[in-house]
Amino acid sequence: MSDEGKTYGMMASFKTTGAVMQAAEKVRDEGFKHWDVISPFPIHGMDGAMGITRSKVPIFTLIGGATGFFGGNLMIWYMNAYDYAIPVGGKPMFSPMYAFPVSYELTILLAAFGAIIGMLLMNRLPMHYHPAMKHDAVDRASNDRFFIVIESSDPRFDEKTTTALLERIGGSDVTKIED
Amino acid sequence: MISLDDTKSVNESLIKEAKPATLPRRKLVENDRSFDWITEKVCGIVEEKTPTWWWVCFFISGFVSLFTVAGTIYLISTGVGVWGLNNPVNWGWAIVNFVFWIGIGHAGTLISAILCLLKQNWRTSINRAAEAMTIFAVVCAGIFPLIHVGRVWFAWWLFPIPNANVIWPQFRSPLLWDVFAVSTYGTVSLLFWYVGMIPDLATLRDRAKTRLKQLFYGFFAMGWRGSNRHWSNYEMAYLLLAGLATPLVLSVHTIVSFDFAVSLIPGWHTTIFPPYFVAGAIFSGFGMVLTLMLPLRSIYGLHDLITQYHIDCMCKITLATGSMVGYAYAIEFFIAWYGANDFESFAFINRAFGPYAWAYWIMITCNVISPQLFWFRKVRENPAFVWIVCIFVNIGMWFERFVIVVTSLSRDFLPTSWGYYSPTLTDIMTYVGTFGIFTFLFLLFLRFLPLMAMAEIKAVTPQANPHHNSEGGSH
């Protein structure tokens, strides 16, 4: 590993969803942490097969939504009751009733932004370069092929044994990927 | 096709374990198409040489959209007098068209969000186009409230920015709620559409031959590479967006209906408006989805992706929402009588038998009677017939908004201030032009972006199930 500082990892391709799923379970059971499955669509149950924990995106959504709701109420109170009070028909200057529709829409708006920003942050997107895109057949990852890539940064990574592992679990075109 | 799990011990199980027959699920992709076939089919639409019909439609729609441009310039430079508005009808075609277009959009969000939450997998092949339809419909809708304010250069007063006298907008007004509802709806729909498209843009990027296309798709795909660690967050975000878009879509038409329901005009001031408007919106939207998808299906040969099952499902939703709308029309009449309010009763009798009776009966024919044809399988299986019924639905839903807006205003409380409203040529041409804008944008979408959610369609095929193949292990 030390003498191959430029190696990003080893990458193997799989033909079917079932094959990559079983292979992923084996890689997980070997104890690897820095590795990934690349697939043209989300595979049902793959998170479990890879041992990925639940996504943290909902936290961002909650923060966005709460900001929208309380921010909306605060904005309306400030504008219509505090900074320039507009008396209408002797009604209270501020009421959560009339502030609700706008606050509700702002809740959804900012929660949606939260979900998307959260997804982009957690995935570190946009990322227009990634070593895994160097594999010769990786274009098919957006079509009909599945890949497993084990990164050299994983403590268990060793070029020979990892190659052997990927071949044993059914991977073809096992390729070394340069960083 | 029908197979019972165990046929060995029929005699024993007959009484003890009498099970209902397991009906085979309808296939979402016909002819067991491969992943690669789906990619080729959908990308082929974008990658093929621009067809002649596309250019013809593109120029015609571009020309028609100039009507709206011209109508708007004439309106702004001259004043709202160029429209048919006058006392007592101060809300005319602009509001009718606004509600019509916003309603069209609702089916897109229903398909992408509500059907996603309900795990209706058939949505996958139509959701992309339906969401595109939503966005373009919101674009067309947004034009009208903006220009109908009269002095367009003051439209920014609607936003929470203090005006020249440091006065803020009045948040008690449903019209202001509308501004927030529609702009949130447009924004969230656009984000939802774009996020859903990222994996498919990556597919187009990987297949792009020219440098320009590589840059264009590469930029918008944001470096998506199909990593499962990404998919995990992506699916969560998509689910959350679906969960957010669901209350959003229900609220948007609710708030649009508040524009009417919160006023005191007979025929508008009713609590039935929010659910009735939402049902009508979904009804009209599905009419438009079918109007668009049926021709595309035959032009591009998408019969394996938009199957008869998809058409059946859409027809049934149209039937269900159409019946809800019919029920709402009936209950409005009942409540007008039961409520014992003279003005309310008059408003409804006037709708059906007054000077606008022609519009009312067009509405009833198109919205209540025509979708009832979808009860018959023979009708649902005839795409040309379905398409014609959907055109009726589109017409009927425009007339519904016309009836609501115009009949109530033209004859309200005082007979001395009654009037009859007719649109001017400017009204008509401005509206016709929006169909040009809508078609123009949709054609661009067709040519440059993936028409169908390839990744999602692949995910619902049998071979996407990890347990599908014999090598895939046990359940």
Side-chain angles (χ1 to χ4, degrees):
Chain A
M1 189 172 129
S2 53
D3 55 345
E4 289 284 343
K6 291 177 83 181
T7 305
Y8 170 75
M10 303 301 294
M11 197 159 166
S13 82
F14 297 83
K15 283 207 173 98
T16 65
T17 325
V20 73
M21 186 86 159
Q22 284 195 330
E25 284 167 353
K26 284 172 189 151
V27 176
R28 175 197 64 193
D29 294 342
E30 289 281 324
F32 284 96
K33 296 290 175 214
H34 297 193
W35 64 290
D36 209 347
V37 173
I38 296 178
S39 61
F41 54 83
I43 300 169
H44 187 69
M46 184 54 95
D47 290 0
M50 278 183 74
I52 298 180
T53 49
R54 191 180 146 89
S55 166
K56 296 195 171 53
V57 172
I59 299 168
F60 293 88
T61 314
L62 180 68
I63 294 169
T67 312
F69 186 75
F70 294 109
N73 272 294
L74 188 69
M75 174 183 82
I76 294 166
W77 168 81
Y78 174 78
M79 289 176 184
N80 281 182
Y82 181 80
D83 186 54
Y84 197 115
I86 305 173
V88 178
K91 294 186 179 76
M93 288 301 171
F94 180 79
S95 144
M97 294 296 141
Y98 85 77
F100 187 78
V102 168
S103 307
Y104 177 91
E105 299 299 332
L106 288 175
T107 309
I108 291 174
L109 182 67
L110 295 195
F113 273 111
I116 290 164
I117 291 168
M119 187 272 281
L120 295 178
L121 280 177
M122 298 306 289
N123 287 347
R124 307 222 172 93
L125 293 175
M127 181 182 354
H128 284 102
Y129 170 77
H130 191 274
M133 288 173 166
K134 281 186 177 170
H135 191 284
D136 289 338
V138 80
D139 278 6
R140 295 190 68 177
S142 61
N143 180 12
D144 62 349
R145 275 286 186 282
F146 308 87
F147 295 85
I148 288 185
V149 52
I150 301 180
E151 294 168 24
S152 62
S153 59
D154 193 287
R156 286 171 178 272
F157 182 85
D158 175 84
E159 206 174 308
K160 277 180 193 148
T161 56
T162 306
T163 308
L165 170 73
L166 285 171
E167 275 164 359
R168 195 171 68 242
I169 59 180
S172 47
D173 311 326
V174 181
T175 317
K176 186 164 87 175
I177 306 290
E178 299 288 311
D179 200 357
Chain B
M1 292 290 277
I2 298 168
S3 62
L4 285 166
D5 284 347
D6 53 4
T7 46
K8 288 176 193 168
S9 52
V10 175
N11 290 332
E12 291 173 316
S13 63
L14 253 177
I15 302 164
K16 285 182 181 171
E17 297 178 31
K19 291 178 191 167
T22 44
L23 292 168
R25 273 181 184 251
R26 298 283 287 270
K27 280 183 184 167
L28 296 172
V29 178
E30 295 279 7
N31 297 325
D32 291 324
R33 297 299 189 179
S34 66
F35 296 142
D36 186 54
W37 186 88
I38 295 169
T39 313
E40 287 294 331
K41 191 79 200 172
V42 178
C43 293
I45 297 171
V46 178
E47 289 163 355
E48 69 170 6
K49 195 173 160 292
T50 312
T52 315
W53 67 264
W54 189 92
W55 281 114
V56 173
C57 296
F58 186 71
F59 282 112
I60 293 174
S61 63
F63 176 71
V64 172
S65 61
L66 291 176
F67 296 165
T68 300
V69 177
T72 309
I73 292 172
Y74 182 43
L75 172 89
I76 295 170
S77 58
T78 314
V80 279
V82 302
W83 284 351
L85 302 179
N86 207 338
N87 273 332
V89 181
N90 287 305
W91 271 9
W93 275 39
I95 299 299
V96 174
N97 301 339
F98 161 68
V99 183
F100 171 79
W101 277 117
I102 277 284
I104 296 284
H106 278 50
T109 322
L110 179 102
I111 291 168
S112 57
I114 300 182
L115 297 185
C116 174
L117 294 183
L118 297 176
K119 292 205 190 303
Q120 294 295 304
N121 286 338
W122 58 272
R123 64 182 269 285
T124 51
S125 60
I126 49 169
N127 71 342
R128 175 69 43 74
E131 285 172 46
M133 176 193 82
T134 296
I135 292 157
F136 306 146
V138 173
V139 168
C140 293
I143 294 168
F144 289 103
L146 190 72
I147 59 177
H148 103 118
V149 296
R151 288 180 287 173
V152 182
W153 46 97
F154 289 137
W156 60 276
W157 284 7
L158 290 163
F159 296 100
I161 307 165
N163 68 16
N165 298 320
V166 211
I167 302 172
W168 298 97
Q170 160 62 295
F171 281 95
R172 291 177 186 85
S173 163
L175 300 182
L176 197 62
W177 305 346
D178 220 14
V179 172
F180 279 83
V182 172
S183 50
T184 299
Y185 185 50
T187 313
V188 173
S189 301
L190 189 67
L191 291 173
F192 199 17
W193 188 54
Y194 174 59
V195 168
M197 208 150 43
I198 291 172
D200 295 343
L201 289 171
T203 305
L204 282 168
R205 170 202 65 198
D206 291 345
R207 295 165 57 94
K209 299 281 190 293
T210 65
R211 188 77 191 131
L212 189 67
K213 281 186 181 176
Q214 285 170 347
L215 283 171
F216 174 77
Y217 294 119
F219 178 79
F220 286 105
M222 295 205 289
W224 183 264
R225 61 177 191 278
S227 152
N228 193 61
R229 292 179 193 276
H230 285 184
W231 279 121
S232 174
N233 291 319
Y234 175 89
E235 281 207 289
M236 180 58 85
Y238 198 81
L239 182 69
L240 285 166
L241 283 175
L244 291 165
T246 300
L248 175 64
V249 70
L250 299 178
S251 79
V252 172
H253 233 57
T254 298
I255 289 179
V256 169
S257 80
F258 283 168
D259 293 344
F260 302 94
V262 173
S263 77
L264 295 172
I265 304 288
W268 288 5
H269 186 58
T270 58
T271 47
I272 200 178
F273 261 35
Y276 158 37
F277 267 53
V278 172
I282 291 165
F283 175 57
S284 69
F286 267 93
M288 190 59 105
V289 171
L290 281 162
T291 310
L292 291 171
M293 293 314 275
L294 290 175
L296 289 178
R297 178 180 186 247
S298 56
I299 289 169
Y300 287 118
L302 300 169
H303 298 72
D304 288 344
L305 296 173
I306 304 172
T307 64
Q308 183 56 42
Y309 174 59
H310 291 88
I311 296 174
D312 267 2
C313 288
M314 288 190 271
C315 288
K316 286 173 187 169
I317 293 184
T318 311
L319 171 61
T321 47
S323 304
M324 284 182 214
V325 168
Y327 173 74
Y329 296 156
I331 210 76
E332 271 189 324
F333 262 84
F334 171 75
I335 293 295
W337 165 74
Y338 188 70
N341 179 312
D342 288 343
F343 297 108
E344 188 79 3
S345 330
F346 173 76
F348 281 91
I349 290 166
N350 181 49
R351 266 187 200 178
F353 305 107
Y356 289 105
W358 57 274
Y360 184 82
W361 294 107
I362 291 176
M363 172 187 95
I364 292 286
T365 315
C366 293
N367 288 353
V368 185
I369 298 168
S370 72
Q372 298 305 320
L373 293 167
F374 288 151
W375 284 106
F376 304 102
R377 176 179 285 189
K378 281 269 183 289
V379 173
R380 296 198 305 267
E381 283 177 354
N382 183 341
F385 206 134
V386 171
W387 193 80
I388 291 168
V389 171
C390 288
I391 292 295
F392 275 106
V393 170
N394 291 326
I395 295 170
M397 282 310 289
W398 187 88
F399 272 96
E400 180 198 293
R401 279 64 177 252
F402 179 82
V403 167
I404 291 171
V405 172
V406 175
T407 58
S408 297
L409 284 175
S410 70
R411 293 195 167 183
D412 58 5
F413 303 99
L414 279 178
T416 48
S417 56
W418 286 358
Y420 189 87
Y421 164 85
S422 306
T424 61
L425 189 65
T426 314
D427 272 313
I428 296 166
M429 295 317 260
T430 309
Y431 173 56
V432 169
T434 53
F435 282 94
I437 296 173
F438 180 81
T439 316
F440 187 81
L441 293 171
F442 201 85
L443 287 166
L444 286 175
F445 158 69
L446 212 56
R447 206 64 211 108
F448 293 102
L449 296 171
L451 174 67
M452 293 184 171
M454 287 178 273
E456 289 190 49
I457 296 175
K458 287 174 193 170
V460 299
T461 55
Q463 65 265 35
N465 182 347
H467 309 299
H468 171 65
N469 293 325
S470 52
E471 60 196 286
S474 62
H475 281 264

